[in-house]
Amino acid sequence: MGKVNIGLRGWRFDEDEVFDDDGRVRPLGTMDEDTKARVLRLTERLSDPCDACWLQYGQDDPQQCSPAEVIYGEPRGEVILCRDHETDFVYWFREVADEELIGTRDLQDAFHGWFADGGRAPEGYAGVEHVDEDPEGVPEAPDPHEELPGIEEEIERIDDEDLDALDIDLDDLDV
């Protein structure tokens, strides 16, 4: 099995570590800590709008916000973006951001600050070109607007203290 994106492009998972043969989420206790943290955080963020759109329109005009399509960074410091704003992030990351932000939770705050201050990619900046080499050979990821199959049952099995330690907001889930 290969690497797959789940719901959003960006974070790639070993398919056989996350899903069983029936396409349901494996028990969270069988995943390594990084994978478990990313799967839980992704579950929390799947239905959120693009961070950059939210900074532009926010609570005043949330209908203007595009849904997120891509995720960058580390859990609890990630940036989620729509296709249009991904280029702004890539420009900022490559040309503006300090290297010491890589792999830290401070990445989100730094990008948000730059973007809120009017930072944007220059006109015509290329950004990232996404190429699907074998789109038919990639297993279908769950619909980002639907739950990950089996995730709610797995979350119910986690001890409350362990969930608190992960710092995940699961208010939108029916657990």
Side-chain angles (χ1 to χ4, degrees):
M1 300 221 173
K3 296 269 190 180
V4 295
N5 293 307
I6 302 171
L8 301 173
R9 282 183 287 105
W11 288 350
R12 296 177 52 80
F13 298 90
D14 285 323
E15 182 185 8
D16 57 347
E17 184 176 347
V18 177
F19 296 106
D20 65 19
D21 293 337
D22 297 325
R24 296 185 61 77
V25 173
R26 289 189 180 281
L28 292 169
T30 65
M31 297 178 194
D32 68 45
E33 290 303 312
D34 182 60
T35 299
K36 178 170 50 175
R38 287 177 189 273
V39 166
L40 288 170
R41 185 64 176 157
L42 191 58
T43 300
E44 184 179 355
R45 297 293 316 262
L46 273 177
S47 61
D48 288 351
C50 166
D51 287 354
C53 287
W54 186 256
L55 290 169
Q56 278 186 302
Y57 307 111
Q59 294 176 336
D60 295 336
D61 196 4
Q63 295 81 10
Q64 292 292 321
C65 296
S66 297
E69 296 180 42
V70 65
I71 187 166
Y72 290 104
E74 299 301 314
R76 309 297 307 161
E78 73 281 339
V79 176
I80 59 172
L81 301 154
C82 65
R83 184 177 311 270
D84 292 339
H85 288 118
E86 181 180 16
T87 302
D88 293 321
F89 177 84
V90 170
Y91 170 79
W92 171 82
F93 187 80
R94 290 177 178 167
E95 310 294 335
V96 178
D98 294 325
E99 266 190 48
E100 63 263 10
L101 291 170
I102 297 170
T104 71
R105 290 183 175 182
D106 297 332
L107 180 90
Q108 180 186 69
D109 289 338
F111 173 73
H112 286 181
W114 176 81
F115 190 86
D117 287 342
R120 301 293 187 274
E123 189 71 33
Y125 186 76
V128 176
E129 181 180 340
H130 299 284
V131 177
D132 291 328
E133 287 185 20
D134 182 15
E136 299 302 318
V138 178
E140 190 171 319
D143 184 326
H145 301 292
E146 295 179 12
E147 68 205 43
L148 292 172
I151 192 69
E152 290 183 6
E153 295 89 350
E154 280 307 311
I155 291 170
E156 286 177 359
R157 292 183 184 124
I158 298 177
D159 182 77
D160 287 341
E161 289 179 15
D162 291 338
L163 265 180
D164 290 342
L166 291 170
D167 193 25
I168 302 292
D169 178 11
L170 301 171
D171 292 339
D172 290 340
L173 294 178
D174 298 325
V175 293

